[in-house]
Amino acid sequence: MPLTPRTLNNCEALDGQDPLAGLRAQFSLPEGVIYLDGNSLGPLPLATPGRIAQTLNEEWGKGLITSWNTAGWLDLPQQVGDKIARLIGAHPGEVVAADSTSINLYKILSAALNIAADDPRRTAIVSERGNFPTDLYIAQSLCRDRGLTLHLVERDELDAALRDDVAVLMLTHVDYRTGTMHDMAALCAQAHEAGMLTVWDLAHSAGAVPVDLHAAGADFAVGCGYKYLNGGPGAPAFLWMNPRHADRIRQPLTGWWGHAAPFAFTTDYIPAAGVNGFQSGTPSILGLAALDCGLDTLLAAEGLGGMVALRRKSLALTSLFMALVQERLQGHGFAIATPADETRRGSQVSLTRAEGAWAIMQALIERGVIGDFRAGDGKHQHDILRFGFAPLYIGHADVWQAVDQLHQVMQSGQWREARFAQRHAVT
Ligand SMILES: Cc1ncc(COP(=O)(O)O)c(C=O)c1O
């Protein structure tokens, strides 16, 4: 990156030459805020309020129930799914937007276990000990009900864990705590070699890094609508199945919306073809309308190089942040938990500190730099300050300003003020 010294002037010059800089105008971001938490909740696209108003006032208000047919409500889960497909290397018709990531994972993981049950020796799910808790809780439930074992290992123990008693390898592609990214293609190849299926959680990947599910040879994937896809709080999630499994799928939540003919009202369940059979109940049209607008903010980059260009900028931003932290925050007790290796990094950078991470983040938020906090665990004993860099609306100068504010918080000792110790329910 041609940026030495790393000054605010140079950062502004880079932003001035950035072909993606105009994409920020798609968002309603409060003045004076540097938003580094799009990895948790993406910001509001300017188009969303109008679209929601249209859905409420015209489609629901005037069209009433006819809007299922006349306003395209019926097809929205697939239409939105097709937009997501463009971001994750899936084909049209292979992705459906529905439910939450947790519920989709339950359905997908269960379907994968049903396929794997053909070989009764395969009695384990392998995952990482530090995987996102909901993934582990869902897997625990399925293992309990089916008499299977959930084998949790550290990242560097995965190779050894892929044995012939494993039914499914279930991983989150980009780690929510550290931003570390797996080599999906290599792990899929290894897993298939050992005869197991792969299930991927793309919560921190879709819209954040280029994903190519087909090229990687993945089997199943789920992901989240409210993070990098900017779909709004509690937005519908999505799921994908490799079509090679289409004929063997049996999912557990066989609601009428996943029926081949929901409005035939037959007594017996007949699954809809392909990924549509993974739907369960009536979709949230308001949620899908908002997610559709969020996806448009990413697809607006397609003419500018798409996810490849967004990735290039994201790496420039995360590299800059790490370099500035090393340059300006030496001696303040921070360590960088995110890999320096660009091929192993998502679109966030996590800093750890032995004490005070919560208070430091609160002091930073008060100054308009919004990241978030994650408590340490058995492996990461120190608490984490997370900073997400969404290249759609973050620039190099934002990165510089964020580190400058962090430097001021530390130099002044402001974070030690008692009010910053006050904990909130959502971190
Ligand atoms: C990796 C991962 N999976 C799943 C989720 C959330 O799932 P849900 O949308 O069901 O709450 C999160 C939320 O932060 C996450 O980080």
Side-chain angles (χ1 to χ4, degrees):
M1 186 180 46
L3 184 76
T4 34
R6 296 179 186 89
T7 61
L8 180 56
N9 272 348
N10 279 348
C11 288
E12 286 169 347
L14 285 178
D15 290 339
Q17 300 156 12
D18 173 14
L20 302 176
L23 295 170
R24 180 189 170 95
Q26 301 181 101
F27 295 94
S28 160
L29 282 158
E31 197 62 38
V33 164
I34 297 175
Y35 191 59
L36 304 180
D37 214 4
N39 50 310
S40 212
L41 174 66
L44 172 67
L46 282 177
T48 306
R51 172 73 179 271
I52 293 295
Q54 156 83 16
T55 308
L56 283 175
N57 298 327
E58 299 300 318
E59 298 175 9
W60 181 19
K62 295 189 181 141
L64 294 162
I65 199 164
T66 66
S67 285
W68 281 105
N69 294 314
T70 59
W73 288 359
L74 204 59
D75 301 326
L76 211 45
Q78 291 76 26
Q79 266 175 26
V80 170
D82 283 350
K83 288 188 179 180
I84 297 169
R86 282 149 70 178
L87 301 170
I88 58 174
H91 300 144
E94 289 178 1
V95 176
V96 71
D99 301 313
S100 63
T101 309
S102 306
I103 289 174
N104 289 339
L105 186 62
Y106 184 82
K107 293 189 275 194
I108 282 280
L109 191 53
S110 181
L113 290 170
N114 287 338
I115 295 176
D118 286 352
D119 181 349
R121 288 172 312 154
R122 297 192 176 271
T123 55
I125 298 172
V126 165
S127 193
E128 271 181 275
R129 194 164 289 121
N131 199 348
F132 190 77
T134 208
D135 299 48
L136 300 182
Y137 303 158
I138 294 288
Q140 282 163 13
S141 164
L142 281 163
C143 283
R144 200 169 44 236
D145 291 350
R146 291 166 177 249
L148 303 176
T149 309
L150 178 60
H151 185 201
L152 298 181
V153 297
E154 299 302 334
R155 185 167 289 248
D156 56 8
E157 295 166 343
L158 274 171
D159 284 355
L162 303 186
R163 299 184 318 232
D164 60 8
D165 62 341
V166 179
V168 174
L169 171 63
M170 176 192 81
L171 292 173
T172 293
H173 182 219
V174 174
D175 185 85
Y176 79 103
R177 271 203 176 90
T178 63
T180 308
M181 183 165 69
H182 281 295
D183 182 340
M184 186 188 285
L187 278 162
C188 284
Q190 246 178 296
H192 292 158
E193 177 80 15
M196 67 195 71
L197 296 166
T198 58
V199 171
W200 294 92
D201 182 338
L202 304 180
H204 296 269
S205 314
V209 298
V211 177
D212 196 336
L213 289 167
H214 274 289
D219 296 290
F220 299 96
V222 296
C224 182
Y226 52 78
K227 300 179 189 297
Y228 292 96
L229 303 187
N230 306 317
F238 65 88
L239 50 82
W240 171 83
M241 163 186 63
N242 193 312
R244 67 174 170 250
H245 299 305
D247 295 340
R248 305 170 69 198
I249 282 305
R250 197 161 48 76
Q251 67 105 338
L253 303 182
T254 50
W256 72 310
W257 218 260
H259 192 281
F263 288 88
F265 298 105
T266 60
T267 305
D268 291 324
Y269 183 77
I270 302 167
V275 78
N276 290 327
F278 277 102
Q279 294 179 97
S280 295
T282 311
S284 160
I285 295 302
L286 290 173
L288 286 167
L291 177 56
D292 200 27
C293 294
L295 287 160
D296 286 343
T297 64
L298 283 153
L299 298 181
E302 279 188 339
L304 301 164
M307 280 311 303
V308 171
L310 288 169
R311 172 64 169 165
R312 199 178 308 121
K313 181 172 170 190
S314 153
L315 285 173
L317 298 177
T318 49
S319 296
L320 173 64
F321 183 79
M322 293 200 275
L324 282 168
V325 164
Q326 276 160 349
E327 232 171 72
R328 302 201 53 203
L329 286 159
Q330 261 190 22
H332 286 293
F334 292 107
I336 298 176
T338 305
D341 177 353
E342 294 191 343
T343 64
R344 295 186 52 228
R345 190 198 310 159
S347 199
Q348 77 178 57
V349 177
S350 300
L351 305 182
T352 59
R353 197 169 188 277
E355 50 137 6
W358 169 266
I360 292 166
M361 185 52 83
Q362 298 318 301
L364 210 47
I365 290 171
E366 191 182 81
R367 289 164 171 263
V369 179
I370 303 182
D372 66 19
F373 164 91
R374 289 291 174 265
D377 62 2
K379 187 171 173 217
H380 313 97
Q381 281 143 16
H382 294 168
D383 292 338
I384 290 176
L385 298 100
R386 294 196 309 178
F387 300 90
F389 297 91
L392 280 181
Y393 50 85
I394 295 299
H396 299 77
D398 294 323
V399 174
W400 194 94
Q401 298 281 15
V403 176
D404 190 54
Q405 290 295 331
L406 183 53
H407 181 248
Q408 289 182 38
V409 164
M410 302 314 294
Q411 280 291 101
S412 63
Q414 189 197 15
W415 63 276
R416 295 185 191 277
E417 291 173 22
R419 67 204 159 99
F420 294 127
Q422 170 83 32
R423 294 282 179 125
H424 309 304
V426 174
T427 60

